[in-house]
Amino acid sequence: MTTMTDPPQASFRLSQLIYDTRYRSYTFQFIALMLLIALMAYLGANLVTNLAEQGQNISFGFLAEPSGYDINQRPIEYDSQSTHLRASIVGVLNTLIVAFLGCLTATILGVVAGVLRLSPNWLVRKLMAGYVEAFRNVPVLIWILIIFTIMTAVLPAPNAFRGDDSESSMLFGSFAFTNRGVYTPAPIWGPGSLVVVLTFLASIFGAIYYRRYATKLLYDTGKLLPMGWPSLVILFVPSILVYFVMGQPISLDYPALAGFNFQGGLHIRGSLIALWFALAIYTGAFIAENVRAGIMAVSRGQTEAAASLGMRPNRIMNLVILPQALRVIIPPLISQYLNLTKNSSLAIAVGYMDVTGTLGGITLNQTGRAIECVLLLMLFYLTISLAISAVMNVYNKSITLKER
Amino acid sequence: MSKDNIAFHRTHMLPEAPPPATETGAIKWLRENLFSSVANGLLTVVAGYLLLSLVISAGPWFLNGIWDSPSLTACREMLDGRTGACFAVLTERWNQLLFGFKYPDELYWRPTLAFVLLFVAIAPVLFVKFLPHQLLIFTGLYPFIAYWLIWGGSIIVPVMALLGVLFGVLVYRRTLTVSAGVAVLAGIVGAMVFWWIAGFVTGSAAGFLALEPVASRDMGGFMVNLMLGVVCVSLSLPFGIMLALGRQSDMPIIKWICVVFIEFIRGVPLITLLFVANVVLAYFLPPGTTFDLILRVIIMITMFASAYIAEVIRGGLAALPRGQYEAADSLGLDYAQSMQFIILPQALKISIPGIVNVAVGLFKDTTLVSVISMFDIVGMIRGPILASAEWNGVYWELFGFAALLFFITCYGISQYSQWLERQLQTDHR
Amino acid sequence: MKKTVFLGALTAAGLVGGAAAAATLDDVKARGTLNCGVTTGLVGFAAPDANGVWEGFDVAVCRAVAAAVLGDPTSVEFVPTTGKTRFTALASGEVDMLARNTTWTFSRDTDLKFDFVGVNYYDGQGFMVPKSLGVTSAKELDGATVCIQTGTTTELNLADYFRKNNMNYEPVPIETNAEGQQQYLAGACDTYTTDASGLAATRAAFENPTEHVILPEIISKEPLGPLVRHGDNEWEDIVRWTLNALITAEELGVTSANVAELAAGKTDSPETNRLLGTEGNLGEMIGLDADWAVRALSAVGNYGEVFEKNIGEKTPIGLARGLNAQWADGGILYSPPFR
């Protein structure tokens, strides 16, 4: 009824709704709204009829029922008697784990590759260009499958580690690269380990504070304090002292071959590694391009000005170019993070139990609740991406304020 | 002072001396580009070592490759313990990789012809400055020809579809004087009505000039990736433009609809949309209606791509100086005219790199359909080929081949877009 | 301009689809083909051969139904489905019937609103291990890495079995049988579990099948059978009795070789006569003609023939009849009488 909210003039004619630009927009909006409502009603009616015909209903009750299946990577307590809801949460956590690891690695890779692409070294430049083009132009699914294949088909099975003159041996006696994943030593947190951890956290703050203080001193008085070794000392010495004072509460649990598999230690599964590396390398190639574009966006005059002040290339990069380039780099960087998170749903191709694998995979299959599961799945990803968009908007606002 | 006071003076020019060896030719180049500092030298050595070891390990693999063998076991026997690739899997399964395992053998010429014609059809679009504009007519006809070639069936269907479009355009032209929006709407309704009526004609004359029909679920291999890529990108362009304009519109309801649609689609991974196509969409259609999985996937991917393209175009629209909009208004152009003649040509030009990026990304994403049990090239490799007793265990050759196909296509497209950007640079900066 | 193809196709599809709301039998007849959901590929049960022609034990059921209804065993459109897509494909009407080694369970029959028309293979879940592992019983699998196809009942059985026996395991979920096979052969899992028949079929495709053993424990009941949508009882009857016809034919000694001869005139056995339509009007009762069973049988043969041809002891898969022998031969295959 949008058209009628605006009381027509005395001279209003119906044809004005089409011909008069003042009213035309109301007509259009009315039509659009009606079409939308009609479409929704049509789809909704179909849904209701279809469900009624098949005697089904929309209900989320299945989430409270025992899932009945097991998940290999469990960040929280979970077994086959836990509910579908808990299985979904395990999936969500697994998604976040791989997304976090992927974003971290991709950033490091991307920044290194992006900076090296502008290196004066011809060979390195070309190599990096090769990396970027190769990974940007091939689907990430193929990369995931290739890395997964390396994991399963090339690395030895745990059996190869058996016996005295085994075919394969562990790296430093503590890392085992098998086709079921990588086994690394895991820390055991004994009593008193909390003190050590807290000391270490405190040292981090101490080191940061020291660096701030030194910078301030430099700016205020021109007195130059050494930065490097004191930070290292602050960072590690107290923790190491406390570690020995408390009687070495933290020890390492080494993986050892027992039964079918390696036992103990930390097991990073092949599926996680394939997904993590593939996403990181793939997204890294895109980030490299963003970084390169960001650095190139800083005008050459800035570099020259800094050089004429006598700054060394490292300092030019750190103090002049990167701070300016970051403003250009960060928005696309965040959207790359978002892409990586969304691409992590390809976990299903290698059997990594992320939320698509649990909620959108096994739970959907076992309960047959397709609509509910897909709906929840979409909601999850939508929440994440809206949250990231919100962060991005805040960031964008904060840098616009600084602009003159 | 006379010359005699000077002990020595040169009476003739010395011949030009060659630059020192360190400042010329290969050595200079090496010094400047590879060993300009110690750190750089180290980097070069490391990079060179990596490259060399790659060549050494992959070289024999390529050179010893076996191109003709019936199975992996036979291939391994022929290699006789040497390192080498079994490219024979590519030659033996060539047709399956390209067309899937169910497309009738004797009809391979049809998709191949459609593929070749694709280049003829897009050439006038790609090289618009160098080829006569009349060729664009063929581009317009191409979708119908390609449909007929790939799916087969009576020629009436594509002809009627084409006539429907022409009819719609006619209606659009006739009603354009009223207003652009009305005209678009009328055009679409006109075409719909035409198709609806034409549906009866095609139903009764199913055998007229018919090619052997091929069901879409019989299609597979790289053909599916190409089809999905081309169809979805072309479809998503008009939708993307409409969504972008809608999002810029000052009509709140229309703007709101577009914003919700775009943000929703961009917020979820493509794979969930494919799940929707695969397992949920059927619930939202009238009972008993089924249509091809491939068509459902096309709808979903098109929606997906439209949202991304809309954002790219919105960027282009926002980047245009305000003055352009005002100039168009001051000339007395109405909305449709100002968009058509002033705004969109410029905005689209700015958006080209972004659109190409979306297109490349979308083309790569077509491999995701393998997850919902469609046999595109990745699906073919993971399913029928790797599962067969003959080729169980051939990974590198197959995945490498798929990666190569995508690399060639995507790299080609992005190179073209860079070239086009240079061509379109009309501002003299 | 390219949107027109899409819209054209959409309209065309809509027109085709619009007619599909009627009963399944009419749809199939109008369409001229039977849409049959099968696996994406399991040798012996349903897999395309080198020419893309589907073959196998489950495929034969589809072909028999097509022969009975349409008179042509080749007018079947095989729709490959995964564990995830199979039920939606059936519920949405994309396929008319599902013959995809699907286990008959309470919830699938009731909650998912499907009807299982019978059992064409009595199966159970087993484990396959490489001989070199030295495992002889599933009880020794504590701590093993187990490859398992997701979206199947096997997943739930596995969880139950290990929990009941107080053992740990590491599940490696995989999507298709092909992947499971690769993972298992690469040693990424110690054991592969699925229906025993599936294990045998998978093992048959290995380079060295003798290096792998199937453990004696069968940890579940897996009655596999074709299923149709709930509610269309006429169609359900046709599929059910086509399956029963194959089983009964074996019992009565009707084979693809002698079916034409037996159908030519009345035989001594009244049930054979009724089955082959030379006596009574059973065909009419399920909405088909009198020769329906003759066509089905001459197309694929009786149950025993189908079994021997696709998965029997003479094939690479080499399954014994076991439980799937006729009731008279010590099995539990028992078709209701044709009367």
Side-chain angles (χ1 to χ4, degrees):
Chain A
M1 293 294 106
T2 331
T3 42
M4 286 307 153
T5 47
D6 204 349
Q9 307 292 315
S11 64
F12 179 79
R13 292 182 314 279
L14 216 56
S15 61
Q16 275 182 324
L17 283 178
I18 294 178
Y19 291 104
D20 192 326
T21 40
R22 280 173 303 174
Y23 300 105
R24 203 151 63 189
S25 71
Y26 292 109
T27 321
F28 282 144
Q29 297 193 51
F30 180 73
I31 294 174
L33 194 64
M34 283 300 124
L35 283 179
L36 184 73
I37 292 174
L39 185 72
M40 292 286 170
Y42 176 70
L43 296 179
N46 283 337
L47 178 65
V48 171
T49 342
N50 280 319
L51 287 175
E53 205 164 82
Q54 291 167 24
Q56 292 179 347
N57 58 346
I58 300 269
S59 137
F60 289 91
F62 69 95
L63 284 174
E65 284 160 21
S67 63
Y69 61 91
D70 284 296
I71 297 175
N72 45 22
Q73 181 174 304
R74 302 175 291 264
I76 55 170
E77 201 73 16
Y78 172 87
D79 64 29
S80 59
Q81 293 306 294
S82 309
T83 60
H84 280 296
L85 182 64
R86 205 169 174 81
S88 314
I89 296 173
V90 172
V92 167
L93 291 174
N94 283 341
T95 297
L96 295 179
I97 288 174
V98 75
F100 174 75
L101 290 174
C103 288
L104 201 69
T105 323
T107 313
I108 297 171
L109 265 176
V111 171
V112 169
V115 171
L116 285 184
R117 265 202 91 173
L118 296 169
S119 133
N121 189 319
W122 179 85
L123 190 61
V124 171
R125 216 162 54 215
K126 290 293 161 196
L127 262 183
M128 286 303 138
Y131 155 67
V132 169
E133 293 300 342
F135 278 84
R136 261 162 36 114
N137 288 316
V138 173
V140 62
L141 180 62
I142 294 186
W143 286 123
I144 294 178
L145 291 173
I146 286 181
I147 297 186
F148 190 57
T149 307
I150 297 179
M151 289 302 302
T152 54
V154 176
L155 289 178
N159 252 331
F161 292 82
R162 220 174 284 278
D164 290 329
D165 51 342
S166 53
E167 295 165 43
S168 315
S169 56
M170 291 167 77
L171 192 65
F172 308 128
S174 43
F175 294 91
F177 295 88
T178 74
N179 60 1
R180 291 174 194 176
V182 176
Y183 294 83
T184 65
I188 306 175
W189 309 99
S193 55
L194 188 68
V195 184
V196 182
V197 174
L198 286 180
T199 317
F200 186 67
L201 286 178
S203 320
I204 293 178
F205 284 113
I208 293 174
Y209 179 77
Y210 172 76
R211 292 181 80 96
R212 282 220 180 136
Y213 168 73
T215 319
K216 195 166 176 293
L217 202 67
L218 178 69
Y219 287 172
D220 289 350
T221 64
K223 196 162 166 265
L224 189 62
L225 285 182
M227 278 276 208
W229 64 266
S231 333
L232 283 182
V233 168
I234 297 175
L235 211 53
F236 291 110
V237 172
S239 307
I240 293 170
L241 281 178
V242 171
Y243 174 71
F244 283 104
V245 167
M246 296 300 292
Q248 306 188 7
I250 304 173
S251 57
L252 285 178
D253 176 23
Y254 290 97
L257 199 57
F260 293 100
N261 291 315
F262 280 91
Q263 302 290 339
L266 191 66
H267 180 193
I268 311 169
R269 283 172 185 77
S271 51
L272 171 62
I273 293 178
L275 194 63
W276 166 18
F277 280 24
L279 288 176
I281 299 175
Y282 179 79
T283 316
F286 286 87
I287 294 179
E289 281 299 272
N290 293 339
V291 169
R292 186 173 75 118
I295 293 176
M296 299 222 316
V298 179
S299 75
R300 198 154 170 76
Q302 297 282 330
T303 321
E304 285 162 359
S308 68
L309 286 177
M311 294 173 102
R312 277 169 288 148
N314 266 345
R315 300 220 144 199
I316 298 180
M317 192 47 113
N318 286 336
L319 297 176
V320 178
I321 300 181
L322 277 185
Q324 297 185 69
L326 275 185
R327 200 181 274 184
V328 185
I329 295 173
I330 286 190
L333 187 70
I334 293 179
S335 70
Q336 287 303 335
Y337 288 165
L338 191 56
N339 280 347
L340 189 146
T341 312
K342 285 193 283 178
N343 278 339
S344 73
S345 56
L346 288 176
I348 200 159
V350 289
Y352 178 73
M353 283 287 106
D354 76 333
V355 67
T356 324
T358 57
L359 179 65
I362 306 181
T363 295
L364 190 157
N365 289 336
Q366 299 295 6
T367 61
R369 300 270 173 199
I371 302 177
E372 294 91 330
C373 288
V374 172
L375 194 69
L376 286 177
L377 198 59
M378 287 184 149
L379 271 182
F380 165 71
Y381 283 108
L382 210 55
T383 317
I384 287 207
S385 64
L386 288 181
I388 292 183
S389 303
V391 170
M392 193 146 90
N393 283 339
V394 169
Y395 173 81
N396 280 343
K397 279 223 176 80
S398 76
I399 57 168
T400 1
L401 282 179
K402 282 184 214 149
E403 269 175 2
R404 285 170 290 272
Chain B
M1 267 197 259
S2 74
K3 281 184 181 173
D4 300 333
N5 292 347
I6 302 165
F8 169 80
H9 76 271
R10 195 177 292 288
T11 53
H12 61 276
M13 285 288 285
L14 278 177
E16 263 180 44
T22 52
E23 283 301 315
T24 178
I27 296 179
K28 177 186 180 218
W29 186 87
L30 280 178
R31 263 178 73 103
E32 279 188 357
N33 289 301
L34 296 181
F35 299 99
S36 58
S37 69
V38 178
N40 244 330
L42 272 176
L43 217 54
T44 306
V45 170
V46 171
Y49 172 76
L50 282 178
L51 208 63
L52 203 67
S53 54
L54 193 73
V55 170
I56 286 176
S57 58
W61 189 76
F62 275 107
L63 293 178
N64 293 339
I66 302 277
W67 289 91
D68 185 24
S69 117
S71 76
L72 184 62
T73 353
C75 171
R76 294 248 163 92
E77 270 167 28
M78 285 161 93
L79 279 170
D80 202 20
R82 285 172 303 160
T83 327
C86 289
F87 294 117
V89 66
L90 302 182
T91 48
E92 209 229 12
R93 298 291 171 121
W94 180 254
N95 287 330
Q96 288 198 357
L97 284 168
L98 293 191
F99 302 104
F101 61 91
K102 280 165 81 188
Y103 205 89
D105 307 13
E106 68 279 8
L107 303 181
Y108 283 154
W109 64 271
R110 276 167 37 185
T112 316
L113 180 63
F115 179 63
V116 172
L117 286 180
L118 174 68
F119 288 99
V120 182
I122 56 172
V125 183
L126 297 186
F127 306 102
V128 82
K129 283 189 181 167
F130 304 97
L131 291 169
H133 285 285
Q134 286 80 355
L135 282 179
L136 281 171
I137 296 175
F138 181 74
T139 313
L141 292 177
Y142 177 74
F144 307 99
I145 300 174
Y147 172 82
W148 189 50
L149 279 175
I150 293 177
W151 271 274
S154 166
I155 199 170
I156 301 271
V157 176
V159 166
M160 283 300 171
L162 175 63
L163 289 179
V165 176
L166 293 179
F167 183 70
V169 171
L170 196 72
V171 175
Y172 169 80
R173 285 270 170 82
R174 278 292 161 85
T175 43
L176 196 58
T177 45
V178 181
S179 117
V182 173
V184 169
L185 218 62
I188 293 174
V189 171
M192 288 284 192
V193 169
F194 189 93
W195 286 325
W196 185 65
I197 296 167
F200 298 107
V201 182
T202 49
S204 55
F208 182 71
L209 265 183
L211 288 176
E212 189 181 327
V214 181
S216 32
R217 70 166 67 90
D218 289 349
M219 297 168 192
F222 197 57
M223 185 174 102
V224 165
N225 296 105
L226 274 177
M227 265 162 47
L228 287 177
V230 172
V231 172
C232 296
V233 169
S234 344
L235 286 177
S236 61
L237 263 177
F239 286 117
I241 293 176
M242 278 198 267
L243 280 171
L245 291 179
R247 196 170 177 168
Q248 290 264 304
S249 158
D250 35 355
M251 298 183 232
I253 296 181
I254 289 184
K255 181 177 179 172
W256 178 78
I257 294 173
C258 292
V259 169
V260 169
F261 180 83
I262 292 173
E263 290 305 323
F264 175 76
I265 297 285
R266 277 161 41 93
V268 298
L270 179 55
I271 207 151
T272 56
L273 291 178
L274 292 179
F275 281 170
V276 169
N278 199 14
V279 296
V280 179
L281 202 59
Y283 286 103
F284 290 98
L285 297 171
T289 316
T290 54
F291 53 94
D292 276 335
L293 182 58
I294 225 172
L295 201 60
R296 282 181 270 162
V297 166
I298 286 178
I299 294 176
M300 282 302 165
I301 299 187
T302 305
M303 279 166 62
F304 184 74
S306 309
Y308 280 82
I309 286 191
E311 281 302 274
V312 171
I313 294 178
R314 185 171 75 112
L317 288 172
L320 272 195
R322 190 84 215 135
Q324 295 291 332
Y325 291 87
E326 286 158 1
D329 286 346
S330 68
L331 282 176
L333 301 180
D334 66 12
Y335 179 78
Q337 287 166 331
S338 68
M339 284 300 147
Q340 191 181 346
F341 299 118
I342 312 279
I343 307 297
L344 279 181
Q346 300 185 68
L348 288 180
K349 197 173 87 182
I350 305 176
S351 318
I352 284 177
I355 293 178
V356 171
N357 273 345
V358 172
V360 169
L362 183 83
F363 180 57
K364 287 185 293 176
D365 279 346
T366 55
T367 49
L368 263 61
V369 298
S370 64
V371 174
I372 54 165
S373 70
M374 273 174 74
F375 292 107
D376 75 322
I377 188 163
V378 176
M380 282 305 298
I381 292 174
R382 293 177 76 199
I385 296 182
L386 277 182
S388 66
E390 297 92 44
W391 296 112
N392 191 346
V394 188
Y395 303 103
W396 306 117
E397 294 83 347
L398 289 168
F399 284 129
F401 176 67
L404 186 71
L405 279 183
F406 276 98
F407 181 79
I408 292 172
T409 327
C410 298
Y411 189 70
I413 299 175
S414 58
Q415 289 301 309
Y416 165 76
S417 112
Q418 285 174 16
W419 175 83
L420 186 66
E421 257 176 81
R422 287 195 296 274
Q423 290 286 312
L424 286 178
Q425 246 165 26
T426 47
D427 48 347
H428 307 282
R429 258 190 285 175
Chain C
M1 281 296 128
K2 291 205 175 154
K3 71 178 167 189
T4 49
V5 168
F6 156 76
L7 285 173
L10 192 63
T11 337
L15 289 170
V16 174
T24 315
L25 177 59
D26 299 336
D27 288 353
V28 173
K29 279 185 175 164
R31 204 187 304 130
T33 53
L34 171 75
N35 292 339
C36 196
V38 289
T39 70
T40 48
L42 179 62
V43 180
F45 284 85
D49 65 6
N51 301 319
V53 178
W54 286 85
E55 278 179 347
F57 187 71
D58 286 335
V59 167
V61 178
C62 301
R63 295 209 187 278
V65 173
V69 175
L70 300 166
D72 180 7
T74 59
S75 47
V76 187
E77 190 67 60
F78 290 99
V79 181
T81 55
T82 63
K84 173 181 295 178
T85 58
R86 54 181 163 180
F87 296 126
T88 328
L90 181 60
S92 69
E94 191 182 344
V95 297
D96 304 312
M97 59 179 284
L98 196 61
R100 187 204 180 274
N101 44 20
T102 300
T103 308
W104 187 349
T105 66
F106 183 91
S107 66
R108 283 175 179 173
D109 204 337
T110 58
D111 190 33
L112 292 183
K113 305 291 176 190
F114 294 124
D115 280 335
F116 284 81
V117 300
V119 176
N120 68 342
Y121 192 90
Y122 289 96
D123 210 338
Q125 183 176 348
F127 295 92
M128 173 163 62
V129 292
K131 262 191 189 143
S132 57
L133 207 59
V135 171
T136 52
S137 156
K139 294 264 164 60
E140 297 165 25
L141 287 174
D142 192 9
T145 305
V146 185
C147 272
I148 177 139
Q149 228 175 319
T150 64
T152 57
T153 45
T154 47
E155 203 161 25
L156 308 182
N157 298 331
L158 182 74
D160 286 349
Y161 181 77
F162 274 79
R163 209 167 57 87
K164 200 169 70 194
N165 290 298
N166 237 334
M167 301 194 295
N168 284 317
Y169 71 107
E170 159 107 6
V172 175
I174 43 135
E175 195 82 350
T176 64
N177 195 51
E179 271 168 69
Q181 188 178 321
Q182 289 157 35
Q183 299 261 320
Y184 171 74
L185 284 179
C189 38
D190 298 304
T191 171
Y192 181 38
T193 179
T194 185
D195 297 340
S197 62
L199 288 179
T202 309
R203 185 174 63 170
F206 289 175
E207 214 171 312
N208 298 310
T210 48
E211 287 172 10
H212 303 270
V213 284
I214 294 172
L215 299 179
E217 280 88 353
I218 295 294
I219 64 169
S220 68
K221 288 193 288 188
E222 306 281 344
L224 309 179
L227 57 157
V228 296
R229 278 183 294 281
H230 184 84
D232 189 348
N233 295 21
E234 279 171 22
W235 178 246
E236 183 191 336
D237 287 342
I238 290 172
V239 181
R240 168 173 297 133
W241 287 97
T242 309
L243 177 64
N244 284 337
L246 300 187
I247 298 171
T248 308
E250 188 188 15
E251 196 181 338
L252 298 175
V254 182
T255 65
S256 55
N258 66 11
V259 61
E261 183 191 332
L262 292 174
K266 286 198 177 181
T267 61
D268 302 338
S269 153
E271 186 162 16
T272 309
N273 292 345
R274 286 195 293 272
L275 174 68
L276 301 180
T278 48
E279 190 182 310
N281 53 354
L282 296 185
E284 208 177 294
M285 289 181 200
I286 56 170
L288 299 173
D289 56 4
D291 288 339
W292 65 282
V294 179
R295 283 197 304 272
L297 286 168
S298 45
V300 300
N302 65 34
Y303 183 90
E305 287 176 87
V306 172
F307 194 101
E308 289 313 322
K309 176 165 171 272
N310 293 302
I311 52 178
E313 277 170 331
K314 291 197 184 67
T315 64
I317 292 146
L319 289 170
R321 282 296 285 270
L323 282 179
N324 295 294
Q326 291 287 340
W327 61 282
D329 304 333
I332 54 174
L333 213 56
Y334 188 103
S335 160
F338 275 69
R339 187 171 290 279

